[in-house]
Amino acid sequence: LYYKSLISIFIVVAPIILLITIFSKEILTLWINEDFSERSYRVMEILPVGMLFTCLAQVPFTTIQSHGYAKYTAKLHLWEFPFYIAIVIMMSEFWGIVGVALAWSLRNVIDAIILFYMAFKVGSQNDLVGTVDG
């Protein structure tokens, strides 16, 4: 179920993300105007990448929560917060709003990687406990 969920989310979300990323300039031109699009399309190219990782990370997040380890995800997000704020400040100084978009996407990628690792560890522990008990 875990892997089927990941594959299903990827199959549904990835093409949408790809289209938004490729056609960000055109989408913003149609939606707002060309002047805004010229100044903002880079942000719209970056944010969907972070969104893809956020969507995929919902599977390990839910797995960790469902195994009764909500405290681990809470501690992870509390631990990430000061680093995220520091990265946002630093990257915004260098690259403005594009830096903020990069910081947000980077946080989502790192968060997803850590959640996948945590879910693997939680799953391994529960599989091991299941074999000992059962």
Side-chain angles (χ1 to χ4, degrees), residues 2 58-69 119-120 122-123 126:
Y2 182 87
Q58 295 306 304
V59 178
F61 178 82
T62 304
T63 300
I64 295 163
Q65 299 283 315
S66 68
H67 281 93
Y69 295 106
F120 173 76
V122 165
N126 284 328

Side-chain angles (χ1 to χ4, degrees), residues 62-98:
T62 304
T63 300
I64 295 163
Q65 299 283 315
S66 68
H67 281 93
Y69 295 106
K71 67 180 178 183
Y72 293 143
T73 55
K75 288 178 182 180
L76 169 65
H77 291 136
L78 285 173
W79 181 84
E80 286 177 348
F81 184 70
F83 292 104
Y84 174 60
I85 296 300
I87 290 171
V88 166
I89 292 169
M90 185 175 54
M91 293 181 91
S92 68
E93 291 289 323
F94 288 108
W95 298 296
I97 193 72
V98 172

Side-chain angles (χ1 to χ4, degrees), residues 24-25 27-29 31-44:
S24 62
K25 196 171 187 179
I27 292 168
L28 286 173
T29 299
W31 182 27
I32 300 178
N33 62 41
E34 189 171 349
D35 182 49
F36 183 84
S37 174
E38 284 294 326
R39 293 180 289 140
S40 305
Y41 77 95
R42 292 283 181 216
V43 172
M44 196 166 171

